[in-house]
Amino acid sequence: MNTVLVTGVTGNIGSHVLFELLFDLYSKNEEAAIYVLIRKQPTKSAKQRLLDEVFTEQLIPQKIAPFYKEYLEKYIHVIEGEINNFTLPADAGNNITVYHLAASVNLSNTEKAKNEIAHVNYINTQAFFEVIKSRTKKLVFVSTAFSRGEIEGEITDDYHSATDFDFRNFYEAYKMKVEKLVLQIAKENDFSCTIARPSVVSGRLIDYPKFVSSRYIVFYSIGEFFKKMKKLYPDLGKIRMALNIDGGLNIVPVDYVAKGIIRAAGIKEEQLNITLTQNVPTQYIITNILQKCGVEIELVAEEPKNKTTIEKLFYKTIGSQLVKYSTSKKHYFESKLIRKILADIEEPNMLDSFSEVYNFAHNINFDNTNIKLEPSNL
């Protein structure tokens, strides 16, 4: 029986990795011991967080709905602890497949953000591997496709041969630093390791119910901001949005990402970008979002200097983190390896689906509790 350890299961990608693991067991008629490391909260145990944040009626894919309760009891074991402070049970053995997803996603460039990223994503990761390094068979370490930093043109899976890094924030810089750290730890302890790098993650496009995500962030945050502003200030006027008119964003549905991460456990390659072969033009993304919000926009090449009150608020908050991506150089991901390992799954067309993906979140006010459940979804 296989033994698996997953961190970060209360996150968007992590929850879907867990869903995929359960579906794999069911479809292959196999058994496994799946350990999930979850931090408790002041008023909530780790087990309760698993139930409340992962196995919610709104989020559960239809494909696991008939059996997930049984499998939850039989195969999932909750470890309550922190990444840098937990005990892995002795009966988990020494032949574990580890999916490490727990991380902080803070795109700010403040000193506070740097300290948070350094502590959570680097120092705590070192402590985590002190516990599991001698008991690991295979590690899938989930990083980000943006750990390459700003780059123009084709982006291949091989980041580690590069020497010319231009990081946009501490998050990218420390992701690259920790990638190299875990590969070194894997080499020293003789276990296989694959760095899996998803790009920007959206709601589902393969599994039903479609479009659902446990969190609506990054591009969704732009819509959430302007939807609120339009309600508060109906006459907010034209908004100048900074972007590269030729640029694009690689947006990947979370269920496609999760399938790629699961299959990464079976490959020998050390680096895998979980990206689509086609970007969505940044101009198309911004225009669709703000039109849905009922906001008039003007596309500009750089952040405006003489800002309106609403523009000041945007560029001080959401914009301060995202403008470096909307104004990025034109690039595209090679995506050959991910298409090879997911050859049996049709690649989602995010360009054709983007409006539906965003509008779903907009219509539920970016809150899954607003989803109207139907009997077929339960």
Side-chain angles (χ1 to χ4, degrees), residues 34-72:
I34 303 173
Y35 292 87
V36 293
L37 175 58
I38 303 176
R39 179 176 70 244
K40 70 176 182 179
Q41 293 179 339
T43 59
K44 193 177 289 188
S45 69
K47 178 65 177 292
Q48 196 59 48
R49 286 192 66 199
L50 180 68
L51 299 175
D52 292 350
E53 299 176 34
V54 179
F55 290 98
T56 67
E57 291 181 325
Q58 295 88 351
L59 189 62
I60 294 167
Q62 286 183 8
K63 67 183 186 180
I64 70 166
F67 61 85
Y68 83 90
K69 290 181 180 178
E70 176 191 353
Y71 277 44
L72 179 59

Side-chain angles (χ1 to χ4, degrees), residues 4-267:
V4 176
L5 171 64
V6 189
T7 70
V9 293
T10 57
N12 189 28
I13 300 175
S15 60
H16 283 83
V17 166
L18 189 54
F19 297 153
E20 286 297 320
L21 286 169
L22 293 181
F23 185 71
D24 266 7
L25 293 183
Y26 178 80
S27 59
K28 296 175 182 177
N29 194 27
E30 293 178 349
E31 294 185 334
I34 303 173
Y35 292 87
V36 293
L37 175 58
I38 303 176
R39 179 176 70 244
K40 70 176 182 179
Q41 293 179 339
T43 59
K44 193 177 289 188
S45 69
K47 178 65 177 292
Q48 196 59 48
R49 286 192 66 199
L50 180 68
L51 299 175
D52 292 350
E53 299 176 34
V54 179
F55 290 98
T56 67
E57 291 181 325
Q58 295 88 351
L59 189 62
I60 294 167
Q62 286 183 8
K63 67 183 186 180
I64 70 166
F67 61 85
Y68 83 90
K69 290 181 180 178
E70 176 191 353
Y71 277 44
L72 179 59
E73 290 299 318
K74 286 177 66 175
Y75 302 124
I76 297 180
H77 309 276
V78 177
I79 301 173
E80 189 168 270
E82 305 276 349
I83 289 298
N84 63 339
N85 184 19
F86 72 100
T87 300
L88 188 59
D91 57 9
N94 299 320
N95 202 30
I96 304 171
T97 299
V98 179
Y99 297 95
H100 185 42
L101 296 98
S104 169
V105 183
N106 187 332
L107 305 181
S108 296
N109 272 315
T110 63
E111 193 65 25
K112 181 180 178 181
K114 179 182 179 180
N115 292 336
E116 177 189 326
I117 292 295
H119 183 75
V120 176
N121 291 4
Y122 191 78
I123 296 172
N124 283 2
T125 297
Q126 287 180 305
F128 173 75
F129 282 105
E130 284 302 311
V131 177
I132 63 100
K133 64 184 182 183
S134 64
R135 303 176 65 180
T136 299
K137 172 182 68 174
K138 172 74 183 190
L139 168 69
V140 179
F141 178 81
V142 179
S143 182
T144 172
F146 299 101
S147 64
R148 180 62 180 86
E150 173 79 286
I151 187 171
E152 188 172 16
E154 183 182 61
I155 302 176
T156 67
D157 291 342
D158 181 14
Y159 289 11
H160 297 165
S161 296
T163 56
D164 57 334
F165 292 99
D166 180 15
F167 298 117
R168 283 162 284 218
N169 46 52
F170 298 117
Y171 172 72
E172 292 182 352
Y174 272 92
K175 277 295 189 181
M176 176 50 60
K177 188 175 181 180
V178 79
E179 282 186 22
K180 293 180 178 180
L181 169 70
V182 297
L183 283 174
Q184 183 61 34
I185 292 172
K187 183 178 180 180
E188 291 172 353
N189 292 275
D190 197 28
F191 62 81
S192 173
C193 176
T194 297
I195 307 294
R197 306 190 189 101
S199 53
V200 176
V201 179
S202 78
R204 296 194 291 247
L205 270 183
I206 301 170
D207 298 326
Y208 288 88
K210 288 188 176 182
F211 314 126
V212 180
S213 174
S214 69
R215 290 178 177 83
Y216 301 94
I217 56 175
V218 192
F219 66 89
Y220 293 111
S221 300
I222 299 172
E224 187 172 16
F225 175 88
F226 283 109
K227 185 179 183 181
K228 289 178 180 176
M229 291 299 103
K230 184 65 175 178
K231 185 175 181 179
L232 290 171
Y233 309 102
D235 300 320
L236 57 81
K238 183 181 291 185
I239 299 296
R240 290 167 292 178
M241 296 294 290
L243 57 83
N244 177 359
I245 201 74
D246 297 319
L249 197 60
N250 200 280
I251 303 175
V252 190
V254 66
D255 43 358
Y256 187 81
V257 171
K259 296 174 199 302
I261 289 171
I262 295 299
R263 298 207 184 168
I267 66 174

